[in-house]
Amino acid sequence: MSVGVRRSKSLLCAKGTTKSGNTGRKSTKERCRSLKRNIPSKLTPHQQQALFTSWKSLRPIIHMLMRKILNNLEEEMPKVKQIFCKTAVLDAFNRESTTSEKQGTLDEHVKLMIEFFDDLINNLQDEESVSNKIKNIGQCHAVISNSSFSSNIWEKLGEITMECFSKQDVVQKTREAGKAWRILIAWVTDELRCGFDDQTRFKNR
């Protein structure tokens, strides 16, 4: 799967095309409606099992993997590094900072991403609840849209996450595992972006 794809939906399709072969950009609402084909309920029982098994096997290295994902995101999106650095500086000067204030640092994001995927893999059957949680994460990030945080960051995060997971031996071990992670990460990326875009539009009214 090539890196540099501009839309998370194209993590599953060729760049600039949809499964029907049409080209051109879609609005956020159209993109959100089109997610029905990518939702976890479309995963086969074998793919769901492959997700669970491969995630369990990744646990010993998951902290390192998540940090690599965020470090790569910082390298490709300098504004992300600026946001993390700004948050880390504020946290350093506020030793009595609350947990919610610390959640903006890179280290906290590593922990949060691990917790996020843990919850996601263990609750795939409760799709509606998981979808709402993912969109809520996207919505929460709309408050920093004035700090150069844009929806393109979600797209890049999805691409990097896809690339890093796909390179792992436990994911490459079976064809179903690779398919399952592509479907899941593409869906998560789109849900994050939809939540972010919806809240950003609401905030800017």
Side-chain angles (χ1 to χ4, degrees):
M1 191 62 58
S2 63
V3 178
V5 181
R6 292 298 179 186
R7 301 168 64 78
S8 61
K9 184 171 180 290
S10 60
L11 290 169
L12 297 175
C13 308
K15 185 176 181 180
T17 66
T18 64
K19 287 187 181 289
S20 63
N22 295 326
T23 59
R25 290 182 174 274
K26 286 186 176 183
S27 68
T28 299
K29 289 184 178 180
E30 289 175 323
R31 183 169 58 249
C32 291
R33 285 197 297 268
S34 71
L35 297 180
K36 293 298 182 182
R37 74 187 69 185
N38 297 336
I39 54 179
S41 60
K42 297 298 183 183
L43 294 169
T44 67
H46 284 160
Q47 288 171 341
Q48 291 187 37
Q49 183 59 40
L51 279 175
F52 184 81
T53 302
S54 56
W55 175 249
K56 185 177 180 180
S57 298
L58 286 169
R59 290 295 298 178
I61 63 165
I62 199 60
H63 190 277
M64 178 180 66
L65 182 61
M66 293 302 183
R67 179 171 288 278
K68 178 178 176 59
I69 289 171
L70 292 179
N71 285 339
N72 288 355
L73 181 63
E74 283 187 325
E75 291 178 6
E76 297 201 35
M77 306 286 284
K79 53 190 173 184
V80 172
K81 187 171 185 177
Q82 293 172 4
I83 293 172
F84 278 143
C85 287
K86 180 179 179 180
T87 305
V89 169
L90 291 174
D91 183 49
F93 278 95
N94 185 8
R95 296 184 179 182
E96 296 181 356
S97 60
T98 64
T99 301
S100 61
E101 290 171 330
K102 291 181 179 180
Q103 286 179 353
T105 65
L106 187 144
D107 286 340
E108 283 300 315
H109 271 72
V110 170
K111 296 176 184 177
L112 290 170
M113 285 180 68
I114 295 173
E115 292 174 1
F116 169 78
F117 274 98
D118 254 337
D119 184 60
L120 179 62
I121 299 300
N122 290 319
N123 294 284
L124 280 177
Q125 302 303 322
D126 192 359
E127 187 177 301
E128 183 177 356
S129 176
V130 171
S131 175
N132 289 335
K133 288 180 181 179
I134 298 172
K135 287 180 179 177
N136 184 60
I137 293 173
Q139 291 168 357
C140 289
H141 283 75
V143 300
I144 56 174
S145 59
N146 293 333
S147 300
S148 299
F149 193 101
S150 66
S151 54
N152 287 337
I153 292 176
W154 295 121
E155 304 291 350
K156 181 58 65 176
L157 176 61
E159 293 168 13
I160 294 172
T161 303
M162 182 82 72
E163 181 182 27
C164 288
F165 270 77
S166 297
K167 288 181 177 179
Q168 303 308 307
D169 290 340
V170 293
V171 176
Q172 295 180 350
K173 191 174 181 180
T174 65
R175 183 179 180 183
E176 293 305 306
K179 281 185 177 180
W181 280 108
R182 285 195 296 273
I183 291 172
L184 187 67
I185 293 172
W187 176 69
V188 168
T189 303
D190 277 326
E191 294 287 80
L192 287 168
R193 177 164 183 161
C194 284
F196 176 84
D197 286 346
D198 288 345
Q199 187 64 23
T200 299
R201 283 197 303 272
F202 177 79
K203 185 170 69 74
N204 293 334
R205 285 178 183 173

